Amino acid sequence: IPWSNYVGWLGVSALITWTWSALMPQETMPREALTFIYALTWGMETFAQLVFWHLPGPALSGAVGMGIYLLLATRGAP
């Protein structure tokens, strides 16, 4: 996968995040719903990489990398 693909995804996701945060103050964001969606993404990506794509390395690194933020979110970290 070329680096330009990664940079493109990063740029678009940063733009979406910035736009969303500018339109909706953090105090009104549905934290539980957003955490639930993130948890579903975390679980499904890990499962798919292990079972369907047979990629244990990316599955493990993604599970740990995303899992850290999921753990922080569920513990109420700012």
Coordinates of all heavy atoms in Angstrom, one line a residue:
I1 N 0.9 -1.2 0.0 CA 0.0 0.0 0.0 C 0.9 1.2 0.0 O 1.8 1.4 0.9 CB -0.9 0.0 1.2 CG1 -1.8 -1.2 1.2 CG2 -1.8 1.3 1.3 CD1 -2.7 -1.4 2.4
P2 N 0.7 2.1 -0.9 CA 1.6 3.3 -1.0 C 1.3 4.3 0.2 O 0.2 4.3 0.7 CB 1.2 4.0 -2.3 CG -0.2 3.4 -2.7 CD -0.3 2.1 -2.0
W3 N 2.3 5.0 0.6 CA 2.2 6.0 1.6 C 1.2 7.0 1.4 O 0.5 7.6 2.3 CB 3.6 6.6 1.9 CG 4.4 5.8 2.7 CD1 5.5 5.0 2.3 CD2 4.4 5.5 4.1 NE1 6.1 4.3 3.3 CE2 5.4 4.6 4.5 CE3 3.6 6.0 5.2 CZ2 5.6 4.1 5.8 CZ3 3.8 5.5 6.4 CH2 4.8 4.6 6.7
S4 N 1.0 7.4 0.1 CA 0.0 8.4 -0.3 C -1.4 7.9 0.2 O -2.3 8.8 0.5 CB 0.0 8.7 -1.8 OG -0.3 7.5 -2.5
N5 N -1.7 6.6 0.1 CA -3.0 6.1 0.6 C -3.1 6.4 2.1 O -4.2 6.9 2.5 CB -3.1 4.6 0.3 CG -4.5 4.1 0.5 OD1 -5.4 4.8 0.9 ND2 -4.6 2.8 0.3
Y6 N -2.1 6.1 2.9 CA -2.1 6.4 4.3 C -2.3 7.8 4.6 O -3.1 8.2 5.4 CB -0.8 5.8 4.9 CG -0.7 6.2 6.4 CD1 -1.5 5.6 7.4 CD2 0.2 7.3 6.7 CE1 -1.3 6.0 8.7 CE2 0.3 7.6 8.1 CZ -0.5 7.0 9.0 OH -0.3 7.4 10.3
V7 N -1.6 8.7 3.9 CA -1.6 10.1 4.1 C -3.0 10.6 3.7 O -3.6 11.5 4.4 CB -0.5 10.9 3.3 CG1 -0.7 12.4 3.4 CG2 0.8 10.5 3.8
G8 N -3.6 10.1 2.7 CA -5.0 10.5 2.3 C -6.0 10.1 3.3 O -6.8 11.0 3.7
W9 N -5.9 8.9 3.9 CA -6.9 8.5 4.9 C -6.7 9.3 6.2 O -7.6 9.7 6.8 CB -6.7 7.0 5.3 CG -7.4 6.1 4.3 CD1 -6.9 5.4 3.3 CD2 -8.8 5.8 4.4 NE1 -7.8 4.7 2.7 CE2 -9.0 4.9 3.3 CE3 -9.8 6.1 5.2 CZ2 -10.3 4.4 3.1 CZ3 -11.1 5.6 4.9 CH2 -11.3 4.7 3.9
L10 N -5.4 9.6 6.5 CA -5.1 10.4 7.7 C -5.7 11.8 7.5 O -6.3 12.4 8.5 CB -3.6 10.4 8.0 CG -3.2 11.2 9.2 CD1 -3.7 10.5 10.5 CD2 -1.7 11.2 9.3
G11 N -5.5 12.4 6.4 CA -5.9 13.8 6.1 C -7.5 13.9 6.1 O -8.0 14.8 6.7
V12 N -8.1 12.9 5.5 CA -9.6 12.9 5.5 C -10.2 12.7 6.9 O -11.1 13.4 7.3 CB -10.1 11.9 4.5 CG1 -11.6 11.7 4.6 CG2 -9.8 12.3 3.0
S13 N -9.6 11.8 7.6 CA -10.1 11.5 9.0 C -9.9 12.7 9.9 O -10.7 13.1 10.7 CB -9.5 10.3 9.6 OG -8.1 10.4 9.7
A14 N -8.7 13.4 9.7 CA -8.5 14.6 10.5 C -9.5 15.7 10.1 O -10.0 16.4 11.0 CB -7.1 15.1 10.3
L15 N -9.8 15.9 8.9 CA -10.8 16.9 8.4 C -12.2 16.6 9.0 O -12.9 17.5 9.5 CB -10.8 16.9 6.9 CG -11.8 17.9 6.3 CD1 -11.4 19.4 6.7 CD2 -11.8 17.8 4.8
I16 N -12.6 15.3 8.9 CA -13.9 14.9 9.5 C -13.9 15.2 11.0 O -14.9 15.7 11.5 CB -14.2 13.5 9.1 CG1 -14.4 13.3 7.6 CG2 -15.4 13.0 9.9 CD1 -14.5 11.9 7.2
T17 N -12.9 14.8 11.7 CA -12.8 15.0 13.1 C -12.8 16.5 13.5 O -13.6 16.9 14.4 CB -11.5 14.4 13.7 OG1 -11.5 13.0 13.4 CG2 -11.5 14.5 15.2
W18 N -12.1 17.3 12.8 CA -12.1 18.7 13.0 C -13.4 19.4 12.7 O -13.9 20.2 13.5 CB -11.0 19.4 12.2 CG -11.0 20.9 12.4 CD1 -10.4 21.5 13.4 CD2 -11.6 21.9 11.6 NE1 -10.6 22.9 13.3 CE2 -11.3 23.1 12.1 CE3 -12.3 21.8 10.4 CZ2 -11.8 24.3 11.6 CZ3 -12.8 23.0 9.8 CH2 -12.5 24.2 10.4
T19 N -14.1 19.0 11.6 CA -15.4 19.5 11.3 C -16.4 19.1 12.3 O -17.2 20.0 12.8 CB -15.8 19.0 9.9 OG1 -14.8 19.4 8.9 CG2 -17.2 19.6 9.5
W20 N -16.4 17.9 12.7 CA -17.4 17.4 13.7 C -17.2 18.1 15.0 O -18.2 18.6 15.6 CB -17.2 15.9 13.9 CG -18.2 15.3 14.9 CD1 -18.0 15.2 16.3 CD2 -19.5 14.8 14.7 NE1 -19.1 14.6 16.8 CE2 -20.0 14.4 15.9 CE3 -20.2 14.7 13.5 CZ2 -21.3 13.8 16.0 CZ3 -21.5 14.1 13.6 CH2 -22.0 13.7 14.9
S21 N -16.0 18.3 15.5 CA -15.7 19.0 16.8 C -16.0 20.4 16.7 O -16.4 21.1 17.7 CB -14.3 18.7 17.2 OG -13.4 19.3 16.3
A22 N -15.9 21.1 15.5 CA -16.3 22.5 15.4 C -17.8 22.7 15.4 O -18.3 23.7 15.9 CB -15.7 23.0 14.1
L23 N -18.5 21.7 14.8 CA -20.0 21.8 14.8 C -20.7 21.4 16.0 O -21.8 21.9 16.3 CB -20.5 21.0 13.6 CG -20.1 21.4 12.2 CD1 -20.6 20.4 11.2 CD2 -20.6 22.8 11.9
M24 N -20.1 20.5 16.8 CA -20.7 20.0 18.0 C -19.8 20.1 19.2 O -18.8 19.4 19.2 CB -21.2 18.5 17.8 CG -21.9 17.9 19.0 SD -22.4 16.2 18.7 CE -24.0 16.6 18.0
P25 N -20.1 20.9 20.1 CA -19.2 21.0 21.3 C -19.1 19.6 22.0 O -20.0 18.8 22.0 CB -19.9 22.0 22.2 CG -20.8 22.7 21.3 CD -21.2 21.8 20.2
Q26 N -17.9 19.4 22.6 CA -17.7 18.1 23.3 C -18.6 17.8 24.4 O -18.9 16.7 24.7 CB -16.2 18.0 23.8 CG -15.2 17.9 22.7 CD -13.9 17.5 23.2 OE1 -13.7 17.3 24.4 NE2 -12.9 17.5 22.3
E27 N -19.2 18.8 25.0 CA -20.1 18.6 26.1 C -21.4 17.9 25.7 O -22.1 17.3 26.5 CB -20.4 19.9 26.8 CG -19.3 20.6 27.5 CD -18.5 21.5 26.4 OE1 -19.1 22.0 25.5 OE2 -17.2 21.5 26.6
T28 N -21.8 18.1 24.4 CA -23.0 17.6 23.9 C -22.8 16.3 23.1 O -23.8 15.7 22.6 CB -23.7 18.6 23.0 OG1 -22.9 18.9 21.9 CG2 -24.1 19.8 23.8
M29 N -21.6 15.8 22.9 CA -21.3 14.6 22.2 C -21.8 13.4 22.9 O -21.6 13.3 24.1 CB -19.9 14.5 21.8 CG -19.4 15.5 20.8 SD -17.6 15.2 20.4 CE -17.7 15.1 18.7
P30 N -22.5 12.5 22.3 CA -22.9 11.2 22.9 C -21.8 10.3 23.2 O -21.5 9.4 22.4 CB -24.0 10.7 22.0 CG -23.5 11.1 20.6 CD -22.9 12.5 20.9
R31 N -21.1 10.5 24.3 CA -19.9 9.7 24.6 C -20.1 8.2 24.6 O -19.3 7.4 24.0 CB -19.3 10.2 25.9 CG -18.0 9.5 26.2 CD -17.4 10.0 27.5 NE -16.2 9.3 27.8 CZ -15.1 9.8 28.2 NH1 -15.1 11.1 28.4 NH2 -14.0 9.1 28.4
E32 N -21.1 7.7 25.2 CA -21.4 6.3 25.3 C -21.6 5.7 23.9 O -21.1 4.6 23.6 CB -22.6 6.0 26.2 CG -22.4 6.3 27.6 CD -22.6 7.8 28.0 OE1 -23.1 8.6 27.1 OE2 -22.1 8.2 29.1
A33 N -22.4 6.4 23.1 CA -22.6 5.9 21.7 C -21.4 5.8 20.9 O -21.1 4.8 20.2 CB -23.7 6.7 21.0
L34 N -20.6 6.9 21.0 CA -19.3 6.9 20.2 C -18.3 5.8 20.7 O -17.7 5.2 19.9 CB -18.7 8.3 20.3 CG -19.5 9.4 19.7 CD1 -18.8 10.8 20.0 CD2 -19.6 9.2 18.2
T35 N -18.3 5.6 22.0 CA -17.4 4.6 22.5 C -17.9 3.2 22.1 O -17.1 2.3 21.7 CB -17.4 4.7 24.1 OG1 -16.9 6.0 24.5 CG2 -16.5 3.6 24.7
F36 N -19.2 3.0 22.0 CA -19.8 1.7 21.6 C -19.4 1.4 20.1 O -19.0 0.3 19.8 CB -21.3 1.7 21.8 CG -21.9 0.4 21.3 CD1 -21.7 -0.8 22.0 CD2 -22.7 0.4 20.2 CE1 -22.3 -1.9 21.6 CE2 -23.3 -0.7 19.8 CZ -23.1 -1.9 20.5
I37 N -19.5 2.5 19.3 CA -19.2 2.3 17.9 C -17.7 2.0 17.7 O -17.3 1.2 16.9 CB -19.6 3.6 17.1 CG1 -21.1 3.7 17.0 CG2 -19.0 3.6 15.7 CD1 -21.6 5.0 16.5
Y38 N -16.9 2.7 18.5 CA -15.4 2.4 18.5 C -15.1 1.0 18.9 O -14.3 0.3 18.3 CB -14.7 3.5 19.3 CG -13.2 3.4 19.3 CD1 -12.5 4.0 18.3 CD2 -12.5 2.6 20.2 CE1 -11.1 3.9 18.2 CE2 -11.1 2.5 20.1 CZ -10.4 3.2 19.1 OH -9.1 3.1 19.0
A39 N -15.8 0.5 19.9 CA -15.6 -0.8 20.4 C -16.0 -1.9 19.4 O -15.3 -2.9 19.2 CB -16.4 -1.0 21.7
L40 N -17.1 -1.6 18.7 CA -17.5 -2.5 17.6 C -16.5 -2.6 16.5 O -16.1 -3.7 16.0 CB -18.9 -2.1 17.1 CG -20.1 -2.4 17.9 CD1 -21.3 -1.8 17.2 CD2 -20.3 -3.9 18.1
T41 N -16.0 -1.4 16.1 CA -15.0 -1.4 15.1 C -13.7 -2.1 15.5 O -13.1 -2.9 14.8 CB -14.6 0.1 14.8 OG1 -15.8 0.8 14.4 CG2 -13.6 0.2 13.7
W42 N -13.3 -1.9 16.8 CA -12.1 -2.6 17.3 C -12.3 -4.1 17.3 O -11.4 -4.8 16.8 CB -11.9 -2.1 18.8 CG -10.9 -2.8 19.6 CD1 -9.6 -2.7 19.4 CD2 -11.1 -3.7 20.6 NE1 -8.9 -3.5 20.3 CE2 -9.9 -4.2 21.1 CE3 -12.3 -4.3 21.2 CZ2 -9.8 -5.1 22.1 CZ3 -12.2 -5.2 22.3 CH2 -10.9 -5.6 22.7
G43 N -13.4 -4.6 17.7 CA -13.7 -6.0 17.8 C -13.8 -6.6 16.4 O -13.2 -7.7 16.1
M44 N -14.5 -6.0 15.5 CA -14.7 -6.5 14.1 C -13.4 -6.5 13.3 O -13.2 -7.5 12.6 CB -15.8 -5.8 13.4 CG -17.2 -6.1 14.0 SD -18.6 -5.4 13.1 CE -18.3 -3.6 13.2
E45 N -12.7 -5.4 13.5 CA -11.4 -5.4 12.7 C -10.4 -6.5 13.2 O -9.8 -7.1 12.4 CB -10.7 -4.0 12.9 CG -11.3 -3.0 12.0 CD -11.1 -3.2 10.5 OE1 -10.0 -3.7 10.1 OE2 -12.0 -2.9 9.7
T46 N -10.3 -6.6 14.5 CA -9.5 -7.7 15.1 C -9.9 -9.0 14.6 O -9.1 -9.9 14.1 CB -9.4 -7.6 16.6 OG1 -9.0 -6.3 17.0 CG2 -8.5 -8.7 17.2
F47 N -11.2 -9.3 14.7 CA -11.7 -10.6 14.3 C -11.5 -10.9 12.8 O -11.1 -11.9 12.4 CB -13.2 -10.7 14.6 CG -13.9 -11.9 14.2 CD1 -13.8 -13.1 15.0 CD2 -14.6 -12.0 13.0 CE1 -14.4 -14.3 14.6 CE2 -15.2 -13.2 12.6 CZ -15.1 -14.3 13.4
A48 N -11.8 -9.9 12.0 CA -11.6 -10.0 10.5 C -10.2 -10.3 10.1 O -9.9 -11.1 9.3 CB -12.2 -8.8 9.8
Q49 N -9.3 -9.5 10.7 CA -7.9 -9.7 10.4 C -7.4 -11.1 10.8 O -6.6 -11.7 10.1 CB -7.0 -8.6 11.0 CG -7.2 -7.3 10.3 CD -6.4 -6.2 10.9 OE1 -5.4 -6.5 11.6 NE2 -6.7 -5.0 10.6
L50 N -7.9 -11.6 11.9 CA -7.5 -13.0 12.4 C -8.1 -14.1 11.5 O -7.4 -15.0 11.1 CB -7.8 -13.2 13.8 CG -6.9 -12.6 14.9 CD1 -7.4 -12.7 16.3 CD2 -5.5 -13.2 14.8
V51 N -9.4 -14.0 11.4 CA -10.2 -15.1 10.8 C -10.2 -15.1 9.3 O -10.0 -16.1 8.6 CB -11.6 -15.1 11.4 CG1 -12.5 -16.2 10.8 CG2 -11.6 -15.3 12.9
F52 N -10.6 -13.9 8.7 CA -10.8 -13.9 7.3 C -9.5 -13.6 6.5 O -9.3 -14.2 5.4 CB -11.8 -12.8 6.9 CG -13.2 -13.1 7.5 CD1 -13.7 -12.2 8.4 CD2 -13.9 -14.2 7.1 CE1 -15.0 -12.5 8.9 CE2 -15.1 -14.5 7.6 CZ -15.7 -13.6 8.5
W53 N -8.7 -12.7 7.0 CA -7.5 -12.3 6.2 C -6.2 -13.0 6.7 O -5.2 -12.8 6.1 CB -7.3 -10.8 6.3 CG -8.5 -10.1 5.7 CD1 -9.2 -10.4 4.6 CD2 -9.1 -8.9 6.2 NE1 -10.2 -9.5 4.3 CE2 -10.2 -8.6 5.3 CE3 -8.9 -8.1 7.3 CZ2 -11.1 -7.5 5.5 CZ3 -9.8 -7.1 7.5 CH2 -10.8 -6.8 6.6
H54 N -6.3 -13.7 7.8 CA -5.2 -14.5 8.3 C -3.9 -13.6 8.5 O -2.8 -13.9 8.1 CB -4.8 -15.7 7.4 CG -6.0 -16.6 7.2 ND1 -6.6 -17.3 8.1 CD2 -6.7 -16.8 6.0 CE1 -7.6 -18.0 7.6 NE2 -7.7 -17.6 6.3
L55 N -4.1 -12.5 9.2 CA -3.0 -11.5 9.5 C -2.9 -11.3 11.0 O -3.4 -10.4 11.6 CB -3.4 -10.2 8.8 CG -3.5 -10.2 7.3 CD1 -4.0 -8.9 6.8 CD2 -2.1 -10.5 6.7
P56 N -2.2 -12.3 11.7 CA -2.1 -12.2 13.1 C -1.3 -11.0 13.6 O -1.7 -10.4 14.6 CB -1.5 -13.5 13.5 CG -0.8 -14.0 12.3 CD -1.6 -13.5 11.1
G57 N -0.3 -10.5 12.9 CA 0.5 -9.4 13.3 C -0.3 -8.1 13.3 O -0.4 -7.4 14.4
P58 N -1.0 -7.7 12.2 CA -1.8 -6.5 12.2 C -3.0 -6.7 13.2 O -3.4 -5.7 13.8 CB -2.3 -6.4 10.8 CG -1.2 -7.1 10.0 CD -0.7 -8.2 10.8
A59 N -3.5 -7.9 13.3 CA -4.6 -8.0 14.3 C -4.2 -7.7 15.7 O -4.8 -7.0 16.4 CB -5.2 -9.5 14.2
L60 N -3.0 -8.2 16.1 CA -2.5 -8.0 17.4 C -2.1 -6.6 17.6 O -2.5 -6.0 18.6 CB -1.3 -8.9 17.7 CG -0.6 -8.7 19.0 CD1 -1.6 -9.1 20.2 CD2 0.6 -9.6 19.1
S61 N -1.4 -6.0 16.7 CA -1.0 -4.6 16.9 C -2.2 -3.6 16.9 O -2.3 -2.7 17.6 CB 0.1 -4.2 15.8 OG -0.5 -4.3 14.5
G62 N -3.2 -3.9 16.0 CA -4.4 -3.1 16.0 C -5.2 -3.3 17.2 O -5.7 -2.3 17.7
A63 N -5.3 -4.5 17.7 CA -6.1 -4.7 18.9 C -5.4 -4.0 20.1 O -6.2 -3.4 20.9 CB -6.2 -6.2 19.2
V64 N -4.1 -4.1 20.2 CA -3.5 -3.4 21.3 C -3.5 -1.9 21.2 O -3.9 -1.2 22.1 CB -2.0 -3.9 21.4 CG1 -1.2 -3.0 22.4 CG2 -1.9 -5.3 21.8
G65 N -3.2 -1.4 20.0 CA -3.2 0.1 19.7 C -4.6 0.7 19.9 O -4.7 1.7 20.6
M66 N -5.6 0.1 19.3 CA -7.0 0.6 19.5 C -7.5 0.3 20.9 O -8.3 1.1 21.5 CB -7.9 0.0 18.5 CG -7.7 0.5 17.1 SD -8.8 -0.2 15.9 CE -10.4 0.6 16.4
G67 N -7.1 -0.8 21.5 CA -7.6 -1.3 22.8 C -7.1 -0.3 23.9 O -7.9 -0.1 24.9
I68 N -6.0 0.3 23.8 CA -5.5 1.2 24.8 C -6.5 2.4 24.9 O -6.9 2.8 25.9 CB -4.1 1.7 24.4 CG1 -3.1 0.6 24.7 CG2 -3.7 2.9 25.3 CD1 -1.7 0.9 24.1
Y69 N -6.9 2.9 23.7 CA -7.8 4.1 23.7 C -9.2 3.7 24.1 O -9.9 4.4 24.8 CB -7.8 4.7 22.3 CG -6.5 5.4 22.0 CD1 -5.6 4.9 21.1 CD2 -6.2 6.6 22.6 CE1 -4.4 5.5 20.9 CE2 -5.0 7.3 22.4 CZ -4.1 6.7 21.5 OH -2.9 7.3 21.3
L70 N -9.6 2.4 23.8 CA -10.9 2.0 24.3 C -10.9 1.8 25.8 O -11.9 2.2 26.4 CB -11.2 0.6 23.6 CG -12.6 0.0 23.9 CD1 -13.7 1.0 23.6 CD2 -12.7 -1.3 23.2
L71 N -9.8 1.3 26.3 CA -9.7 1.2 27.8 C -9.8 2.5 28.4 O -10.5 2.7 29.5 CB -8.4 0.4 28.1 CG -8.2 0.2 29.6 CD1 -9.2 -0.8 30.2 CD2 -6.8 -0.4 29.8
L72 N -9.1 3.5 27.9 CA -9.1 4.9 28.5 C -10.5 5.5 28.4 O -10.9 6.1 29.3 CB -8.1 5.8 27.7 CG -6.6 5.5 28.0 CD1 -5.8 6.3 27.1 CD2 -6.2 5.7 29.4
A73 N -11.2 5.2 27.3 CA -12.5 5.8 27.1 C -13.5 5.2 28.1 O -14.4 5.8 28.6 CB -13.0 5.6 25.7
T74 N -13.4 3.8 28.3 CA -14.3 3.2 29.2 C -14.0 3.5 30.7 O -14.9 3.4 31.5 CB -14.3 1.7 29.0 OG1 -13.0 1.2 29.2 CG2 -14.8 1.3 27.6
R75 N -12.8 3.9 31.0 CA -12.5 4.3 32.3 C -12.8 5.8 32.6 O -12.5 6.3 33.7 CB -11.0 4.0 32.6 CG -10.8 2.5 32.7 CD -9.3 2.3 33.1 NE -9.1 0.8 33.2 CZ -8.5 0.3 34.2 NH1 -8.1 1.0 35.2 NH2 -8.4 -1.0 34.3
G76 N -13.2 6.5 31.6 CA -13.6 7.9 31.8 C -12.4 8.8 31.7 O -12.5 9.9 32.3
A77 N -11.3 8.4 31.1 CA -10.2 9.3 31.0 C -10.5 10.5 30.1 O -11.3 10.4 29.1 CB -9.0 8.6 30.4
P78 N -10.0 11.7 30.4 CA -10.3 12.9 29.6 C -9.7 12.8 28.2 O -8.8 12.2 27.9 CB -9.7 14.0 30.4 CG -8.8 13.4 31.3 CD -9.1 12.0 31.5

